[in-house]
Amino acid sequence: MSGRFVRASKYRHVFGKPTRKEQCYDNLRISKNAWDTNLVKVGDVNPQYLSVNWEAGGGGAFAVIPLSERGRLPEHIPLFRGHTAPVLDTDWSPFNDSLVVSGGDDGKVFVWRVPEDFTLLTDAEEPEDVAPIGRLTGHARKVGHVLFNTAAENILATSSGDYTVKLWDVEKGAAHLTLKHADIVQSLSWSANGSLLVTTSRDKKLRIWDVRQEKPAHEVPGHSGAKNSRAVWMGEHDRVATTGFSRMSDRQLGLWDIRDPKEPIGGFTMLDSISGVCMPFWDEGTQILYLAGKGDGNIRYYEYENDKFEYLSEYKSGDPQRGIAFLPKRGVNTHENEVARAFKSLNDAYIEPVSFIAPRRSEAFQTDIFPPTVGTTAGCSAKEWLGGKTALPPKIDLESVYNGDEEPTVVAATAPKTTATPTSPKSKKSPQKETAGASQSGSGATAVPVRGPPPDIKDQKTSISTMASKFADKAEDDEDDEEDDSNDDSDSDSDFEEVPTRKLGERKGHDITTSPTKTTTAAAARQADPAPSAKTLKSTAPPSSSTTTATTSLRNTTSNTDDNPLGIGGGATPSSSGTGTGIPPGLGNSIGSTIGGAGAPADPSSSGGNPFGIGATVTPGPTPGLGSTIGGGIGGAIGSTSSNPPSMGGPIGIGGGSTPAGGTNLAGGTGSPFGVGGSVTPGNVGSVSLENVYRLVLEQRGLILRLTGEVERLRGVVEERGGN
């Protein structure tokens, strides 16, 4: 049956939930400038505000909208004016929700502070605009991107058409570092600790900068397409995700290892053939990458796991977006299991919030989907960062936000995550040894279990051989115990190990005697001659009547009407003719006549009903049945004391021939459960290779032992019913 296996993920059922039109931010005049930017940004601290690039006459401006003031906005609202050309990008300080910066087509960077208790709902006929509190001068051409450092306070990166990225101390208004590029920068993103910066540019290069050294640590070819590409740092991972286009204008997704970014991990992943730029957004808490395309209304999201992006789902909408922004984790609604919220600009007239919800039945706080997130305190100051300090900002517990605490609980900062690089097959040597070494190194070190490769065919064969040796050794130990009890030691030339004669159910006149033997076990035979040649085995003559053989004589000495306890070695009492006397039907005789021969020979000294019927002469019975099909009896296969040993009757030899035709016991009749009426035809020359028989015996020993146990159980049932 073919089935479809679904990867387990707690975010597999996350879905996007749009907002009704009356709850959107309506009556906006969003900028129609063609510069590739997101147009919308959300405050990072509480958050409280949303900034939008505004379509304004007489210079550039942007609007700040309180997140709580939804619905249709007034016709005239206070704007943040100061630029003499359209505003191209804005960004909020991650540690001060009232501080916002903007970059414009006029090459200027302005710093703004949102007034306290700022609102758009005023009674004034002409709302008063907000003026900047600072200006950063240094770029010669338009400023296309502005981005605050993620860990250091008041450190700002700005990119310009003069092919440079400048790093500013906003508080002092000075540019301390400059990163020179070969073409216009299309996107930039900070690492979690604020020490590295990744940029993409129009020269199709991906650069990873050690910003305080003012030189790229890596510079590699990126997406080969002519359209814009984007890059986003994946939080505390040492990975970067990029989106761009191929030479055939197919949208692509790439995952890069910053330690060795020669090419993306696993190559580029083709998304589709839509022409709009794909905007990536990384959520550190859920490890999800959101991809929103310009010009289409869909938002795809992927979960990052095992160094690859696993597709989760897609939010589909018929309304195309030009810009989009994601709310910081501190602002999501944890009571409704909202893991993310996006603000997408539609028709240059309104902004629609889209909530991404992980469905859960429990109303309690979901710790697994809301881990600690970055708080409102910076890891270091601007002066410390410029001096070389690197630190992650402390995190807050979202459960305190869920409970409505005024001061969120601060948790200890963690070290940046390092993704393990997949090892090559050559390095996978003996996982068990590596685990053992790990447990021995260091005090209190815990060994990490390592799953090894699956066993091959050779290992499986070795395992089967080991199991056979296990049964052989166990049989040897049991036989030694029997010999110690009987205090009878003798020698034998047999090359086969005998099944131990257990004194189970010794009752009603059954006399179980053991002839003098010298046991040569299978394990000992293998040690003496590990690999006997086929020639040697073939030339070995069968034991003659004058040779002392390993036999176990199972005889009925007192009664012919009772069951043989195990029924092994023959189903009838030896008589002068060897045809067997009439024994009343019984379970023991039924099974015994099918395992190892039907009747014991007339002369007990020359051959006996040994456990496998070795040396027992089998006279053809009536119609062949199941016994001849399964094996036909090993007794006729291995050898006989007569001059003309019978040939092998079957490949396995569990069954056996029935009682000779002249016999009247159950084995020769129609009630034998394992070999009804089976027969073995004697041959002129024993043509069976002892090597093959030896192998078959070992392979079937376990089955025979289990069969013997079942016989014992059935015998007890029959005995109980017979007593009643």
Side-chain angles (χ1 to χ4, degrees):
M1 180 182 69
S2 62
R4 180 181 179 183
F5 296 92
V6 179
R7 186 184 63 90
S9 172
K10 53 191 172 185
Y11 303 111
R12 187 161 57 91
H13 299 292
V14 170
F15 64 94
K17 180 181 179 182
T19 304
R20 294 176 299 178
K21 183 66 177 294
E22 55 269 19
Q23 293 297 321
C24 296
Y25 304 95
D26 199 2
N27 196 26
L28 306 179
R29 291 188 288 274
I30 301 175
S31 174
K32 296 181 174 59
N33 190 280
W35 178 252
D36 182 23
T37 183
N38 292 342
L39 297 176
V40 183
K41 287 290 182 68
V42 184
D44 285 341
V45 181
N46 290 324
Q48 299 180 18
Y49 304 110
L50 174 73
S51 62
V52 183
N53 296 357
W54 202 259
E55 183 71 19
F62 68 95
V64 173
I65 304 173
L67 294 179
S68 59
E69 298 181 5
R70 298 194 179 191
R72 186 175 181 86
L73 300 181
E75 292 293 333
H76 301 283
I77 62 175
L79 298 177
F80 287 65
R81 294 181 182 270
H83 289 276
T84 57
V87 174
L88 301 181
D89 195 19
T90 59
D91 193 36
W92 295 86
S93 170
F95 310 111
N96 185 351
D97 210 9
S98 63
L99 189 66
V100 59
V101 296
S102 62
D105 208 356
D106 54 3
K108 300 174 184 177
V109 178
F110 284 109
V111 182
W112 313 78
R113 187 178 300 278
V114 180
E116 189 176 356
D117 298 330
F118 178 77
T119 179
L120 301 179
L121 306 177
T122 64
D123 297 333
E125 296 182 0
E126 293 292 335
E128 183 179 356
D129 293 334
V130 179
I133 62 173
R135 174 179 175 180
L136 305 179
T137 305
H139 287 296
R141 303 187 65 180
K142 64 181 179 182
V143 177
H145 300 91
V146 292
L147 186 65
F148 272 101
N149 190 291
T150 54
E153 190 172 15
N154 295 331
I155 294 295
L156 177 70
T158 61
S159 68
S160 172
D162 57 8
Y163 307 162
T164 63
V165 172
K166 290 185 179 295
L167 302 178
W168 307 79
D169 182 350
V170 175
E171 187 175 0
K172 295 183 177 181
H176 293 274
L177 302 170
T178 301
L179 311 179
K180 297 181 179 180
H181 292 69
D183 210 329
I184 294 179
V185 175
Q186 296 173 337
S187 70
L188 62 162
S189 179
W190 287 101
S191 62
N193 60 9
S195 63
L196 301 174
L197 183 73
V198 59
T199 62
T200 60
S201 61
R202 200 163 57 183
D203 60 358
K204 305 176 185 178
K205 294 292 183 65
L206 176 70
R207 294 177 176 88
I208 298 173
W209 297 83
D210 185 354
V211 291
R212 284 171 288 203
Q213 300 297 324
E214 297 185 274
K215 61 181 181 180
H218 298 284
E219 181 176 335
V220 296
H223 296 270
S224 58
K227 298 181 181 180
N228 287 6
S229 61
R230 296 284 191 96
V232 61
W233 205 288
M234 296 172 56
E236 297 180 10
H237 293 285
D238 51 4
R239 298 288 186 269
V240 170
T242 62
T243 58
F245 293 83
S246 67
R247 295 181 182 224
M248 303 301 294
S249 295
D250 295 324
R251 290 202 294 196
Q252 296 176 327
L253 171 64
L255 175 64
W256 305 79
D257 183 354
I258 66 169
R259 296 168 297 180
D260 186 20
K262 295 180 180 179
E263 58 183 13
I265 300 174
F268 290 112
T269 301
M270 191 185 76
L271 301 176
D272 50 41
S273 299
I274 301 177
S275 60
V277 174
C278 202
M279 299 174 285
F281 298 91
W282 172 252
D283 184 0
E284 177 67 15
T286 59
Q287 302 289 296
I288 293 178
L289 178 70
Y290 295 88
L291 301 181
K294 281 192 172 184
D296 60 86
N298 303 339
I299 303 175
R300 306 177 193 181
Y301 36 104
Y302 300 78
E303 184 177 8
Y304 175 69
E305 187 179 39
N306 298 329
D307 248 359
K308 61 181 179 180
F309 292 114
E310 300 287 354
Y311 176 78
L312 290 175
S313 185
E314 181 177 10
Y315 168 75
K316 296 183 178 181
S317 172
D319 299 323
Q321 66 250 357
R322 282 192 58 221
I324 194 169
F326 273 78
L327 189 71
K329 188 66 70 174
R330 295 185 298 272
V332 298
N333 190 345
T334 54
H335 291 271
E336 295 184 2
N337 298 330
E338 182 186 40
V339 295
R341 187 189 305 170
F343 295 87
K344 49 186 295 187
S345 63
L346 304 176
N347 302 325
D348 296 333
Y350 71 98
I351 294 176
E352 176 190 29
V354 178
S355 297
F356 292 90
I357 298 175
R360 296 286 178 92
R361 292 185 177 180
S362 175
E363 296 181 358
F365 177 75
Q366 305 297 312
T367 308
D368 58 330
I369 61 176
F370 295 114
T373 188
V374 176
T376 60
T377 305
C380 58
S381 65
K383 182 178 180 180
E384 292 173 335
W385 184 85
L386 291 171
K389 182 178 179 179
T390 299
L392 286 170
K395 295 184 177 182
I396 60 173
D397 188 2
L398 286 178
E399 188 171 4
S400 60
V401 178
Y402 176 88
N403 295 328
D405 299 343
E406 294 183 1
E407 294 294 333
T409 304
V410 179
V411 297
T414 59
K417 301 177 183 178
T418 301
T419 306
T421 304
T423 57
S424 61
K426 294 182 180 179
S427 63
K428 295 181 180 179
K429 300 178 182 178
S430 181
Q432 296 180 354
K433 293 183 180 179
E434 294 178 1
T435 304
S439 62
Q440 295 175 1
S441 62
S443 60
T446 303
V448 180
V450 180
R451 177 176 295 180
D456 53 13
I457 299 299
K458 183 178 179 180
D459 295 338
Q460 294 179 4
K461 290 182 178 179
T462 305
S463 177
I464 295 175
S465 176
T466 303
M467 293 175 61
S469 300
K470 173 183 175 183
F471 287 114
D473 295 340
K474 181 178 179 181
E476 179 183 1
D477 296 339
D478 293 342
E479 187 171 351
D480 291 341
D481 294 341
E482 292 293 335
E483 289 180 356
D484 293 341
D485 294 340
S486 62
N487 295 325
D488 188 6
D489 298 331
S490 60
D491 297 336
S492 175
D493 295 331
S494 173
D495 289 332
F496 296 90
E497 176 192 5
E498 298 180 3
V499 173
T501 305
R502 301 182 181 180
K503 297 182 180 181
L504 299 174
E506 186 176 5
R507 48 182 286 280
K508 295 185 181 181
H510 284 75
D511 183 15
I512 304 177
T513 60
T514 305
S515 62
T517 60
K518 178 181 179 181
T519 305
T520 303
T521 64
R526 287 195 301 273
Q527 294 177 359
D529 188 6
S533 62
K535 180 178 180 181
T536 303
L537 293 175
K538 185 174 183 180
S539 61
T540 302
S544 62
S545 60
S546 62
T547 303
T548 303
T549 60
T551 61
T552 302
S553 178
L554 305 177
R555 309 176 187 176
N556 295 333
T557 57
T558 59
S559 174
N560 294 335
T561 62
D562 295 327
D563 294 346
N564 189 334
L566 296 179
I568 298 178
T573 304
S575 63
S576 57
S577 60
T579 59
T581 60
I583 296 178
L587 180 62
N589 288 319
S590 301
I591 300 178
S593 62
T594 64
I595 302 179
D603 188 1
S605 63
S606 61
S607 175
N610 57 55
F612 291 95
I614 300 176
T617 304
V618 183
T619 305
T623 305
L626 180 62
S628 59
T629 303
I630 295 178
I634 293 180
I638 298 179
S640 173
T641 57
S642 62
S643 59
N644 294 327
S647 61
M648 185 174 183
I652 299 178
I654 293 178
S658 64
T659 306
T664 61
N665 74 339
L666 182 62
T670 61
S672 175
F674 290 93
V676 180
S679 62
V680 178
T681 304
N684 294 327
V685 180
S687 59
V688 178
S689 171
L690 292 181
E691 182 180 6
N692 295 335
V693 175
Y694 175 77
R695 187 182 71 255
L696 294 174
V697 169
L698 290 181
E699 291 178 353
Q700 300 302 320
R701 186 177 302 275
L703 178 61
I704 293 174
L705 291 178
R706 290 194 297 271
L707 180 63
T708 303
E710 184 67 17
V711 169
E712 294 174 6
R713 187 184 68 80
L714 294 177
R715 180 191 59 76
V717 174
V718 173
E719 178 182 355
E720 180 180 358
R721 293 181 179 179
N724 297 331

